[in-house]
Amino acid sequence: MLQFLFRRLAVLIPTFVGVSIIAFAFIRLLPGDPVQMMAGERVISPERHAELSQQLGFDRPIVVQYLDYLGGIVTGDFGNSIVTKRPVLSEFLALFPATLELSICAILLAVIIGVPLGIIAAVKRGSWFDQGVMGVALVGYSMPIFWWGLLLIIFFSGVLQLTPVSGRISLMYFFPPVTGFMLIDSLLSGQSGAFKSALSHLILPTVVLATIPLAVIARQTRSAMLEVLSEDYVRTARAKGLPPRRVIGLHALRNALIPVVTTIGLQIGVLMAGAILTETIFSWPGIGKWMVDSVFRRDYTVVQGGLLLIAIIIMVVNLLVDVLYGLINPRIRY
Amino acid sequence: MKLKSAFAAALLAATMMSGAAAAKTFVYCSEGSPEGFDPGLYTAGTTFDAAAHTVYNRLLEFKPGTTETIPGLAEDYQISEDGLEYTFKLRPGVKFHTTEYFTPTRDLNADDVVYSFERQWKSDNPWNKYVAGANWEYFNGMGLPDLLESVEKVDDLTVRIKLKRPEAPFLASLAMPFASIMSKEYLDKLEADGQMNLLNQQPVGTGPFQFVAYQQDAVIRYKANENYHNGKQKIDDLVFAITPDASVRYQKLKAGECHLMPYPNSADVEEIKADPNLKVQEQEGLNVAYLAYNTKVAPFDDVRVRKALNHAINKEAIVEAVFQGQATPAKNPIPPTMWSYNDAIEDDAYDLDQAKKLLEEAGVGNFDMKIWAMPVSRPYMLNARRAAEIMQADFQKIGVNVEIVSYEWAEYLERSKAEDRDGAVMLGWTGDNGDPDNFLHTLLGCEAVGGNNRAQWCNEEFNSLVMKAKEASEVDERTRLYEEAQVVFKREAPWATIDHSLSVVPMRKNVEGFVQSPLGDFAFEGVDLVE
Amino acid sequence: MAVNTPKTVAEPVVLEGEHSASAIRWAMLAEFWYYFRQNRGAVVGAAVFTIILLVAIFAPLIAPHDPITQVRGAFLKPPVWQAGGSWEYILGTDPVGRDILSRLIYGARFSLFVGLVVVTISVSVGVVVGLIAGYFRGPLDTFIMRLMDIILAFPSLLLALVLVAILGPGLLNAMIAIALVLQPHFVRLTRAAVMAEKNKDYVMAAKVAGASRMRLMFRTILPNCTAPLIVQGTLSFSNAILDAAALGFLGMGAQPPTPEWGTMLAEAREFVMRAWWVVTFPGLAILITVLAINLMGDGLRDALDPKLKRS
């Protein structure tokens, strides 16, 4: 086990260095001199230009700039945003809970609905239920979620006036963040109605973000379940006359869930990409929107640091999934 | 909507806080997050609205609704005969905010003023580099390092600023957000605590509102300053609800979730005007879009050619196609909200026959030219390519073939400066301090050739008028000089002036006392909500 | 959109030797069609896809209006069945008076074109790189696979967004960016298949018979890895369409006035509350196209995958 972890970490480190080089190189490739960009229509003198370049460190050899950047990262310094001049890491940490809250809710929703649907569809293979679920799942899987979000807004916010259009909580409530999770903070604040408000703001974005993972998980659970159900040991159990519920619940399910766990883990990347669109549509103050805004503002250091931080999160989650996979799958020995 | 219960809860919370009758909360759906809360560091209007106009004051302020300066923290000032020495008398008894994170022990004095300038100016000031990449954009951009000789304290309530040369627009610069006055006491405390970064997150000023909290990319909260030197505001709480999407802002305004919003979609304006619960204010922005010929290159070195092309531009069509009417055609290089705007000037009418005649007189037959169209959308020109296409179609009719070119934005700005540049460049300008000098000298003066002067136009008559106005200290005198300069400009036609965008501010019917600023600021001093 | 979750793709079809005569080819095709036909969804998907393809090809003949021309006085006309609609503009008009139906018809061209180009680029590059990695192994293989890991470490849409920001917004650059982020899947697939095939008898036999390296890689091994590649290719086709639309929606894809579906949605956003039709139809077009392709993909997988055939 330990050896396995070390081996994985050994792979992770060169990947991380590669990721950092790419993130760093990208930003140097972005068109337009950042100093000129900041000045806009205003003309700045060559001296001032040189001074600013020097202050921002753009005048040094590229290798030195990179090593400097890498050195900073090790100590948790991802540089300062060109636009806000605040540390990239602290902006990231301030916004990350919003994305995390949304992602956790979405993945929970996807698992809670997707796994049972997949199991039932597999057990009742070929029935109208199976066909219906799989049909809907394929539609969900093919969904342009940015459009799906707009449709939900039109219907639930526009026509029915049930849900708010954007943000995390009504402006009427105000309390300092404790955990950064609005659902928990609103409960801690003790203000009546705050939790309800936070919840009503969360519903539509969660549904939108959960759509694709839900479809994938339902499909995956079904096919994993089908495979397991055709295995010899399940057939033996059935032949022995064990009640079907016991066969499915005890024998089949446990083994079918193994590939499903991997699938769920793989959805993290999907969630991050989905968060970009979902947060943009619902003005959700998280890192997806932050990244999109920064790309448009040409906030080089934020794009660079954000790419890197997100990649790190995805790599770590993938590692955890692999470890978890090993723990629940007795067939894998390290 | 769940508004009622939420509102009740808010009322409850507010009464608990103040222990008094219902608090008035004014919600502004702002268009973006502030970059930070130190106005000296930034250039974006969004930041100034959130930091400078709420929390801070300056020595001089802009008179609401105009670009004239009036006394602010300085009650009064004197200018020496030679125009080199400015002596400011500070208002006595001005209090800095008392907040959860800072309690002032003294009133505003000359030390605060001197320090507020020195931190941006002197590289040995501990605050000069307190955040990485602190460029003091505007302090440098307005040329103060080259202009200032010294800023000194004379006594506790007197500050003397000496200049290296006379420059009248300097006063307008002092009313700009970057010149906000900080508390030296607060700065010293932060420095002693080793927490200098906090200045940019927890501001302390003398302004009408004091900072309460900021949730990044979501909400900024302020409350009225109890001890404001102009009296406490009529609203108790001010909230900026950050809502980048214009249609969402409009939704919130319609639902009563906010009271005022900036920058509506031009497509929504008609509907907003028709809504019985809403009203709008409209005003030309402090900007101009122009097409700058290169007056150093044939055939544009001939004024008749430039005039001819000016007659062939259909500004009404451009305003309609690009702005859906939310702009006005421009005849002068400065916007109509600026003092000294010369309204007597007659615009070159859209007249293709006249254009053809002028071309014949100049002896140029059909020719080819380039029009540069910006690759980005700017407030003064939302879609340069569309505007260029309209010009292209009209120029074709008078025998001028146009090729539209464009470059990546930074490159565009750089390349368009070249003195031997080929073709006419579309560009624009948004004023910084409302002084005509900021347009006429900055964009058309001889010094700016090869730089901001994209027409490469150095006209002695025009330049001497503008230089004289720069040094004159009497506003009447300056007005006269600028009005004359505009006449010269129109006669010589280095640019085709295209448009000034219109800024439309929708608000709830019960909002009172909001004065639209020609500088494009959103300042809420004096705003009230009536039933 | 980032739906590039690698799906379970089955082992490649193993055939007896490479000297398959044309008769065997026909038999294979017939078998494929037999299995494909079994899946009703797949047939419907293929039919819908064919219709969309025809619409795209004959767009200038079918479209009632020019997709770019703005008609003054026909702003935001509702669809024909709603009060105020007319047969002139069957699906209504957009905020600047362009016929939505015509724009959708022309938009089909862009979406299919994007899918085609992206899949072509990512398959050809991915296959070559994967073959090289799988065939030669060693440090080169390690290097290539690390590089793919790096690309996969970023959320695909985010990476594409940044890439397009670097290259400059536009449909062409969006296609390049999407191809780049989709291509690691092909590399991994090809490499795995090559490694599985490399030591099989028929490859050994060809090697002994003196086949060159190029021949071994492209003529002997590659044809036996095509099944999973075709399935992955179909998936990438729909992913490419979704991603391109998402980039268009974020303002980094095709630029106005191009009638690309995602860009149309982006332009329509401000009318969400006022004119449902400008928002609804472009998204519906994307959904239908992607759904048709995914239905086909499922059918292809069933038909080409011996393991699932068995069950």
Side-chain angles (χ1 to χ4, degrees), chain A residues 36-37 40-43 48 52 55 80 83-85 91 166 171-174, chain B residues 6 35 42 132-135 140 213 216 221 241 378 380 413-414 430 432 452:
Chain A
Q36 177 65 251
M37 205 63 91
E41 284 95 341
R42 280 160 190 80
V43 170
R48 182 90 189 119
L52 290 181
Q55 259 186 41
N80 286 6
V83 175
T84 67
K85 302 184 166 72
E91 290 204 347
S166 73
L171 292 169
M172 302 299 173
Y173 300 102
F174 168 54
Chain B
E35 298 153 303
Y42 306 105
N135 309 323
N140 287 294
Q216 191 169 353
R221 284 165 200 281
R378 309 294 287 171
Y380 48 76
L413 293 165
E414 192 55 42
T430 302
D432 300 307
N452 265 330

mmCIF file of all heavy atoms in Angstrom, chain A residues 36-37 40-43 48 52 55 80 83-85 91 166 171-174, chain B residues 6 35 42 132-135 140 213 216 221 241 378 380 413-414 430 432 452:
data_model
loop_
_atom_site.group_PDB
_atom_site.id
_atom_site.type_symbol
_atom_site.label_atom_id
_atom_site.label_comp_id
_atom_site.label_asym_id
_atom_site.label_seq_id
_atom_site.Cartn_x
_atom_site.Cartn_y
_atom_site.Cartn_z
ATOM 1 N N GLN A 36 1.306 47.398 -21.501
ATOM 2 C CA GLN A 36 0.574 48.210 -22.472
ATOM 3 C C GLN A 36 -0.935 48.044 -22.268
ATOM 4 O O GLN A 36 -1.706 48.993 -22.308
ATOM 5 C CB GLN A 36 0.969 47.740 -23.879
ATOM 6 C CG GLN A 36 0.244 48.420 -25.001
ATOM 7 C CD GLN A 36 0.567 49.897 -25.096
ATOM 8 O OE1 GLN A 36 -0.250 50.743 -24.797
ATOM 9 N NE2 GLN A 36 1.799 50.219 -25.479
ATOM 10 N N MET A 37 -1.302 46.780 -21.978
ATOM 11 C CA MET A 37 -2.708 46.461 -21.793
ATOM 12 C C MET A 37 -3.304 47.233 -20.623
ATOM 13 O O MET A 37 -4.421 47.712 -20.678
ATOM 14 C CB MET A 37 -2.791 44.963 -21.524
ATOM 15 C CG MET A 37 -4.099 44.378 -21.877
ATOM 16 S SD MET A 37 -4.365 44.547 -23.617
ATOM 17 C CE MET A 37 -3.695 43.062 -24.163
ATOM 18 N N GLY A 40 -4.029 50.902 -21.586
ATOM 19 C CA GLY A 40 -5.167 51.151 -22.467
ATOM 20 C C GLY A 40 -4.884 52.299 -23.435
ATOM 21 O O GLY A 40 -3.801 52.369 -24.009
ATOM 22 N N GLU A 41 -5.848 53.188 -23.584
ATOM 23 C CA GLU A 41 -5.693 54.306 -24.511
ATOM 24 C C GLU A 41 -4.592 55.268 -24.070
ATOM 25 O O GLU A 41 -4.063 56.026 -24.851
ATOM 26 C CB GLU A 41 -6.991 55.112 -24.634
ATOM 27 C CG GLU A 41 -8.064 54.470 -25.468
ATOM 28 C CD GLU A 41 -9.020 53.686 -24.602
ATOM 29 O OE1 GLU A 41 -8.658 53.353 -23.455
ATOM 30 O OE2 GLU A 41 -10.138 53.408 -25.074
ATOM 31 N N ARG A 42 -4.295 55.246 -22.777
ATOM 32 C CA ARG A 42 -3.310 56.183 -22.261
ATOM 33 C C ARG A 42 -1.919 55.778 -22.719
ATOM 34 O O ARG A 42 -1.543 54.623 -22.621
ATOM 35 C CB ARG A 42 -3.368 56.216 -20.743
ATOM 36 C CG ARG A 42 -4.493 57.086 -20.317
ATOM 37 C CD ARG A 42 -4.979 56.892 -18.936
ATOM 38 N NE ARG A 42 -6.209 57.656 -18.828
ATOM 39 C CZ ARG A 42 -7.371 57.212 -19.277
ATOM 40 N NH1 ARG A 42 -7.463 56.020 -19.814
ATOM 41 N NH2 ARG A 42 -8.428 57.963 -19.204
ATOM 42 N N VAL A 43 -1.178 56.726 -23.188
ATOM 43 C CA VAL A 43 0.163 56.421 -23.658
ATOM 44 C C VAL A 43 1.119 56.491 -22.474
ATOM 45 O O VAL A 43 1.044 57.421 -21.679
ATOM 46 C CB VAL A 43 0.583 57.440 -24.724
ATOM 47 C CG1 VAL A 43 2.052 57.282 -25.054
ATOM 48 C CG2 VAL A 43 -0.273 57.263 -25.958
ATOM 49 N N ARG A 48 8.625 54.677 -18.172
ATOM 50 C CA ARG A 48 7.599 54.176 -17.271
ATOM 51 C C ARG A 48 7.294 52.711 -17.608
ATOM 52 O O ARG A 48 7.085 51.885 -16.732
ATOM 53 C CB ARG A 48 6.356 55.055 -17.452
ATOM 54 C CG ARG A 48 5.212 54.726 -16.572
ATOM 55 C CD ARG A 48 5.268 55.500 -15.268
ATOM 56 N NE ARG A 48 4.242 54.955 -14.401
ATOM 57 C CZ ARG A 48 4.497 54.386 -13.229
ATOM 58 N NH1 ARG A 48 5.720 54.337 -12.772
ATOM 59 N NH2 ARG A 48 3.533 53.883 -12.512
ATOM 60 N N LEU A 52 7.650 49.651 -15.028
ATOM 61 C CA LEU A 52 6.551 48.754 -14.684
ATOM 62 C C LEU A 52 6.909 47.308 -15.001
ATOM 63 O O LEU A 52 6.622 46.404 -14.221
ATOM 64 C CB LEU A 52 5.280 49.149 -15.448
ATOM 65 C CG LEU A 52 4.634 50.452 -15.003
ATOM 66 C CD1 LEU A 52 3.371 50.723 -15.803
ATOM 67 C CD2 LEU A 52 4.285 50.389 -13.524
ATOM 68 N N GLN A 55 9.059 46.155 -12.291
ATOM 69 C CA GLN A 55 8.315 45.913 -11.058
ATOM 70 C C GLN A 55 7.563 44.602 -11.109
ATOM 71 O O GLN A 55 7.467 43.866 -10.139
ATOM 72 C CB GLN A 55 7.294 47.033 -10.865
ATOM 73 C CG GLN A 55 7.732 48.065 -9.868
ATOM 74 C CD GLN A 55 6.606 49.043 -9.620
ATOM 75 O OE1 GLN A 55 5.449 48.662 -9.522
ATOM 76 N NE2 GLN A 55 6.949 50.308 -9.530
ATOM 77 N N ASN A 80 0.621 37.815 -7.107
ATOM 78 C CA ASN A 80 -0.520 38.694 -6.876
ATOM 79 C C ASN A 80 -1.256 38.937 -8.183
ATOM 80 O O ASN A 80 -0.646 39.000 -9.237
ATOM 81 C CB ASN A 80 -0.061 40.046 -6.324
ATOM 82 C CG ASN A 80 0.367 39.942 -4.885
ATOM 83 O OD1 ASN A 80 0.430 38.849 -4.318
ATOM 84 N ND2 ASN A 80 0.665 41.066 -4.282
ATOM 85 N N VAL A 83 -4.770 42.606 -11.617
ATOM 86 C CA VAL A 83 -5.886 43.545 -11.544
ATOM 87 C C VAL A 83 -6.148 44.002 -10.107
ATOM 88 O O VAL A 83 -6.167 45.190 -9.828
ATOM 89 C CB VAL A 83 -7.159 42.912 -12.146
ATOM 90 C CG1 VAL A 83 -8.346 43.839 -11.954
ATOM 91 C CG2 VAL A 83 -6.943 42.641 -13.628
ATOM 92 N N THR A 84 -6.345 43.052 -9.206
ATOM 93 C CA THR A 84 -6.704 43.452 -7.847
ATOM 94 C C THR A 84 -5.479 43.631 -6.959
ATOM 95 O O THR A 84 -5.576 44.195 -5.888
ATOM 96 C CB THR A 84 -7.603 42.412 -7.176
ATOM 97 O OG1 THR A 84 -6.833 41.228 -6.977
ATOM 98 C CG2 THR A 84 -8.815 42.094 -8.023
ATOM 99 N N LYS A 85 -4.349 43.098 -7.394
ATOM 100 C CA LYS A 85 -3.103 43.179 -6.638
ATOM 101 C C LYS A 85 -3.162 42.406 -5.338
ATOM 102 O O LYS A 85 -2.319 42.545 -4.476
ATOM 103 C CB LYS A 85 -2.700 44.639 -6.399
ATOM 104 C CG LYS A 85 -2.547 45.353 -7.740
ATOM 105 C CD LYS A 85 -2.066 46.746 -7.683
ATOM 106 C CE LYS A 85 -1.642 47.215 -9.048
ATOM 107 N NZ LYS A 85 -2.746 47.464 -9.985
ATOM 108 N N GLU A 91 -7.401 34.923 -2.900
ATOM 109 C CA GLU A 91 -8.634 35.047 -3.682
ATOM 110 C C GLU A 91 -9.214 33.672 -3.950
ATOM 111 O O GLU A 91 -10.417 33.459 -3.847
ATOM 112 C CB GLU A 91 -8.359 35.748 -5.021
ATOM 113 C CG GLU A 91 -8.041 37.215 -4.873
ATOM 114 C CD GLU A 91 -8.332 37.993 -6.146
ATOM 115 O OE1 GLU A 91 -8.534 37.368 -7.200
ATOM 116 O OE2 GLU A 91 -8.355 39.227 -6.065
ATOM 117 N N SER A 166 -29.865 34.840 -9.278
ATOM 118 C CA SER A 166 -28.414 34.751 -9.153
ATOM 119 C C SER A 166 -27.984 34.954 -7.713
ATOM 120 O O SER A 166 -28.755 35.384 -6.862
ATOM 121 C CB SER A 166 -27.753 35.818 -10.017
ATOM 122 O OG SER A 166 -27.917 37.075 -9.429
ATOM 123 N N LEU A 171 -29.779 39.433 -0.293
ATOM 124 C CA LEU A 171 -28.960 40.509 0.268
ATOM 125 C C LEU A 171 -29.410 40.916 1.650
ATOM 126 O O LEU A 171 -28.687 41.569 2.391
ATOM 127 C CB LEU A 171 -29.065 41.735 -0.637
ATOM 128 C CG LEU A 171 -28.428 41.582 -1.977
ATOM 129 C CD1 LEU A 171 -28.819 42.729 -2.857
ATOM 130 C CD2 LEU A 171 -26.943 41.517 -1.800
ATOM 131 N N MET A 172 -30.649 40.550 1.977
ATOM 132 C CA MET A 172 -31.190 40.984 3.254
ATOM 133 C C MET A 172 -30.468 40.312 4.413
ATOM 134 O O MET A 172 -30.535 40.760 5.536
ATOM 135 C CB MET A 172 -32.680 40.633 3.338
ATOM 136 C CG MET A 172 -33.482 41.252 2.232
ATOM 137 S SD MET A 172 -33.350 43.033 2.315
ATOM 138 C CE MET A 172 -34.173 43.502 0.818
ATOM 139 N N TYR A 173 -29.820 39.190 4.118
ATOM 140 C CA TYR A 173 -29.124 38.494 5.196
ATOM 141 C C TYR A 173 -27.662 38.838 5.148
ATOM 142 O O TYR A 173 -27.062 38.900 4.095
ATOM 143 C CB TYR A 173 -29.306 36.985 5.056
ATOM 144 C CG TYR A 173 -30.747 36.608 5.106
ATOM 145 C CD1 TYR A 173 -31.437 36.314 3.944
ATOM 146 C CD2 TYR A 173 -31.438 36.600 6.304
ATOM 147 C CE1 TYR A 173 -32.775 36.010 3.974
ATOM 148 C CE2 TYR A 173 -32.775 36.286 6.351
ATOM 149 C CZ TYR A 173 -33.443 35.992 5.183
ATOM 150 O OH TYR A 173 -34.761 35.697 5.223
ATOM 151 N N PHE A 174 -27.122 39.048 6.291
ATOM 152 C CA PHE A 174 -25.715 39.390 6.329
ATOM 153 C C PHE A 174 -25.086 38.784 7.568
ATOM 154 O O PHE A 174 -25.538 39.036 8.674
ATOM 155 C CB PHE A 174 -25.552 40.912 6.327
ATOM 156 C CG PHE A 174 -24.165 41.333 6.655
ATOM 157 C CD1 PHE A 174 -23.086 40.832 5.928
ATOM 158 C CD2 PHE A 174 -23.911 42.215 7.692
ATOM 159 C CE1 PHE A 174 -21.805 41.205 6.241
ATOM 160 C CE2 PHE A 174 -22.624 42.599 7.993
ATOM 161 C CZ PHE A 174 -21.567 42.090 7.268
ATOM 162 N N ALA B 6 -38.142 37.832 3.850
ATOM 163 C CA ALA B 6 -36.741 38.239 3.907
ATOM 164 C C ALA B 6 -36.640 39.675 4.384
ATOM 165 O O ALA B 6 -35.790 40.033 5.214
ATOM 166 C CB ALA B 6 -36.111 38.093 2.536
ATOM 167 N N GLU B 35 -11.589 46.331 -7.642
ATOM 168 C CA GLU B 35 -10.285 45.660 -7.657
ATOM 169 C C GLU B 35 -9.695 45.636 -6.256
ATOM 170 O O GLU B 35 -8.957 44.744 -5.889
ATOM 171 C CB GLU B 35 -9.355 46.397 -8.610
ATOM 172 C CG GLU B 35 -9.870 46.392 -10.029
ATOM 173 C CD GLU B 35 -9.386 47.579 -10.844
ATOM 174 O OE1 GLU B 35 -9.623 48.725 -10.429
ATOM 175 O OE2 GLU B 35 -8.753 47.365 -11.867
ATOM 176 N N TYR B 42 -5.671 51.934 -8.503
ATOM 177 C CA TYR B 42 -6.445 51.405 -9.626
ATOM 178 C C TYR B 42 -6.929 52.500 -10.572
ATOM 179 O O TYR B 42 -6.823 53.692 -10.286
ATOM 180 C CB TYR B 42 -7.642 50.611 -9.100
ATOM 181 C CG TYR B 42 -7.237 49.549 -8.118
ATOM 182 C CD1 TYR B 42 -7.452 49.703 -6.754
ATOM 183 C CD2 TYR B 42 -6.589 48.403 -8.559
ATOM 184 C CE1 TYR B 42 -7.054 48.727 -5.850
ATOM 185 C CE2 TYR B 42 -6.188 47.423 -7.674
ATOM 186 C CZ TYR B 42 -6.429 47.589 -6.318
ATOM 187 O OH TYR B 42 -6.031 46.625 -5.446
ATOM 188 N N ALA B 132 2.562 44.309 -4.136
ATOM 189 C CA ALA B 132 3.366 44.061 -5.328
ATOM 190 C C ALA B 132 2.653 44.672 -6.526
ATOM 191 O O ALA B 132 1.442 44.549 -6.659
ATOM 192 C CB ALA B 132 3.558 42.568 -5.524
ATOM 193 N N GLY B 133 3.405 45.339 -7.359
ATOM 194 C CA GLY B 133 2.809 45.928 -8.547
ATOM 195 C C GLY B 133 2.004 47.185 -8.262
ATOM 196 O O GLY B 133 1.099 47.531 -8.999
ATOM 197 N N ALA B 134 2.317 47.880 -7.154
ATOM 198 C CA ALA B 134 1.645 49.152 -6.882
ATOM 199 C C ALA B 134 2.228 50.202 -7.822
ATOM 200 O O ALA B 134 3.363 50.596 -7.680
ATOM 201 C CB ALA B 134 1.867 49.559 -5.427
ATOM 202 N N ASN B 135 1.452 50.601 -8.800
ATOM 203 C CA ASN B 135 1.998 51.502 -9.828
ATOM 204 C C ASN B 135 1.540 52.940 -9.676
ATOM 205 O O ASN B 135 2.025 53.817 -10.346
ATOM 206 C CB ASN B 135 1.562 51.044 -11.212
ATOM 207 C CG ASN B 135 1.833 49.596 -11.437
ATOM 208 O OD1 ASN B 135 2.849 49.095 -10.975
ATOM 209 N ND2 ASN B 135 0.940 48.907 -12.112
ATOM 210 N N ASN B 140 0.786 58.873 -11.527
ATOM 211 C CA ASN B 140 1.763 58.981 -12.600
ATOM 212 C C ASN B 140 1.115 59.426 -13.901
ATOM 213 O O ASN B 140 1.673 60.240 -14.628
ATOM 214 C CB ASN B 140 2.456 57.637 -12.800
ATOM 215 C CG ASN B 140 3.412 57.341 -11.671
ATOM 216 O OD1 ASN B 140 4.410 58.024 -11.503
ATOM 217 N ND2 ASN B 140 3.083 56.351 -10.866
ATOM 218 N N ALA B 213 -18.311 45.554 5.376
ATOM 219 C CA ALA B 213 -17.806 44.227 5.007
ATOM 220 C C ALA B 213 -17.860 44.040 3.504
ATOM 221 O O ALA B 213 -18.659 44.669 2.815
ATOM 222 C CB ALA B 213 -18.632 43.134 5.676
ATOM 223 N N GLN B 216 -16.258 38.725 -1.338
ATOM 224 C CA GLN B 216 -15.716 38.844 -2.677
ATOM 225 C C GLN B 216 -16.710 38.446 -3.769
ATOM 226 O O GLN B 216 -17.403 37.443 -3.684
ATOM 227 C CB GLN B 216 -14.454 37.990 -2.820
ATOM 228 C CG GLN B 216 -13.740 38.316 -4.116
ATOM 229 C CD GLN B 216 -12.360 37.718 -4.205
ATOM 230 O OE1 GLN B 216 -11.852 37.139 -3.246
ATOM 231 N NE2 GLN B 216 -11.760 37.848 -5.362
ATOM 232 N N ARG B 221 -20.868 46.059 1.879
ATOM 233 C CA ARG B 221 -21.784 46.741 2.789
ATOM 234 C C ARG B 221 -21.126 47.971 3.406
ATOM 235 O O ARG B 221 -19.969 47.939 3.808
ATOM 236 C CB ARG B 221 -22.218 45.789 3.908
ATOM 237 C CG ARG B 221 -23.227 44.787 3.428
ATOM 238 C CD ARG B 221 -23.397 43.637 4.371
ATOM 239 N NE ARG B 221 -23.994 42.521 3.657
ATOM 240 C CZ ARG B 221 -25.294 42.441 3.391
ATOM 241 N NH1 ARG B 221 -26.122 43.368 3.820
ATOM 242 N NH2 ARG B 221 -25.771 41.422 2.706
ATOM 243 N N ALA B 241 -24.692 45.311 -4.488
ATOM 244 C CA ALA B 241 -24.894 43.911 -4.863
ATOM 245 C C ALA B 241 -24.224 43.719 -6.210
ATOM 246 O O ALA B 241 -24.687 44.242 -7.218
ATOM 247 C CB ALA B 241 -26.376 43.594 -4.955
ATOM 248 N N ARG B 378 -15.477 49.393 -26.625
ATOM 249 C CA ARG B 378 -15.210 50.407 -25.612
ATOM 250 C C ARG B 378 -16.503 51.181 -25.382
ATOM 251 O O ARG B 378 -17.369 51.203 -26.246
ATOM 252 C CB ARG B 378 -14.107 51.372 -26.080
ATOM 253 C CG ARG B 378 -12.857 50.677 -26.567
ATOM 254 C CD ARG B 378 -12.140 49.957 -25.486
ATOM 255 N NE ARG B 378 -11.462 50.839 -24.557
ATOM 256 C CZ ARG B 378 -10.909 50.409 -23.419
ATOM 257 N NH1 ARG B 378 -11.009 49.151 -23.088
ATOM 258 N NH2 ARG B 378 -10.278 51.251 -22.629
ATOM 259 N N TYR B 380 -17.213 54.218 -25.655
ATOM 260 C CA TYR B 380 -17.490 55.235 -26.668
ATOM 261 C C TYR B 380 -17.728 54.622 -28.040
ATOM 262 O O TYR B 380 -18.189 55.297 -28.955
ATOM 263 C CB TYR B 380 -16.335 56.247 -26.736
ATOM 264 C CG TYR B 380 -14.970 55.594 -26.803
ATOM 265 C CD1 TYR B 380 -14.505 55.023 -27.975
ATOM 266 C CD2 TYR B 380 -14.142 55.536 -25.676
ATOM 267 C CE1 TYR B 380 -13.271 54.404 -28.035
ATOM 268 C CE2 TYR B 380 -12.907 54.927 -25.724
ATOM 269 C CZ TYR B 380 -12.474 54.355 -26.910
ATOM 270 O OH TYR B 380 -11.264 53.734 -26.961
ATOM 271 N N LEU B 413 -2.909 49.801 -30.373
ATOM 272 C CA LEU B 413 -2.580 51.044 -29.691
ATOM 273 C C LEU B 413 -1.158 51.471 -30.032
ATOM 274 O O LEU B 413 -0.874 52.646 -30.272
ATOM 275 C CB LEU B 413 -2.716 50.857 -28.177
ATOM 276 C CG LEU B 413 -4.142 50.618 -27.701
ATOM 277 C CD1 LEU B 413 -4.155 50.092 -26.280
ATOM 278 C CD2 LEU B 413 -4.934 51.916 -27.783
ATOM 279 N N GLU B 414 -0.264 50.510 -30.081
ATOM 280 C CA GLU B 414 1.140 50.796 -30.320
ATOM 281 C C GLU B 414 1.352 51.260 -31.766
ATOM 282 O O GLU B 414 1.942 52.298 -32.020
ATOM 283 C CB GLU B 414 1.942 49.527 -30.010
ATOM 284 C CG GLU B 414 3.436 49.714 -29.941
ATOM 285 C CD GLU B 414 3.851 50.785 -28.952
ATOM 286 O OE1 GLU B 414 3.262 50.826 -27.852
ATOM 287 O OE2 GLU B 414 4.744 51.592 -29.289
ATOM 288 N N THR B 430 -11.869 58.473 -22.822
ATOM 289 C CA THR B 430 -12.769 58.744 -21.721
ATOM 290 C C THR B 430 -12.034 59.674 -20.771
ATOM 291 O O THR B 430 -10.901 59.382 -20.384
ATOM 292 C CB THR B 430 -13.141 57.438 -21.001
ATOM 293 O OG1 THR B 430 -13.724 56.566 -21.957
ATOM 294 C CG2 THR B 430 -14.145 57.697 -19.898
ATOM 295 N N ASP B 432 -10.616 61.872 -17.691
ATOM 296 C CA ASP B 432 -10.199 61.471 -16.353
ATOM 297 C C ASP B 432 -10.711 62.429 -15.300
ATOM 298 O O ASP B 432 -11.212 62.040 -14.270
ATOM 299 C CB ASP B 432 -8.674 61.445 -16.270
ATOM 300 C CG ASP B 432 -8.087 60.463 -17.260
ATOM 301 O OD1 ASP B 432 -8.508 59.315 -17.239
ATOM 302 O OD2 ASP B 432 -7.224 60.872 -18.058
ATOM 303 N N ASN B 452 -0.263 60.033 -28.050
ATOM 304 C CA ASN B 452 -1.717 60.114 -28.000
ATOM 305 C C ASN B 452 -2.342 60.866 -29.169
ATOM 306 O O ASN B 452 -3.530 60.710 -29.428
ATOM 307 C CB ASN B 452 -2.143 60.816 -26.709
ATOM 308 C CG ASN B 452 -2.449 59.822 -25.617
ATOM 309 O OD1 ASN B 452 -2.877 58.707 -25.899
ATOM 310 N ND2 ASN B 452 -2.237 60.217 -24.386
#
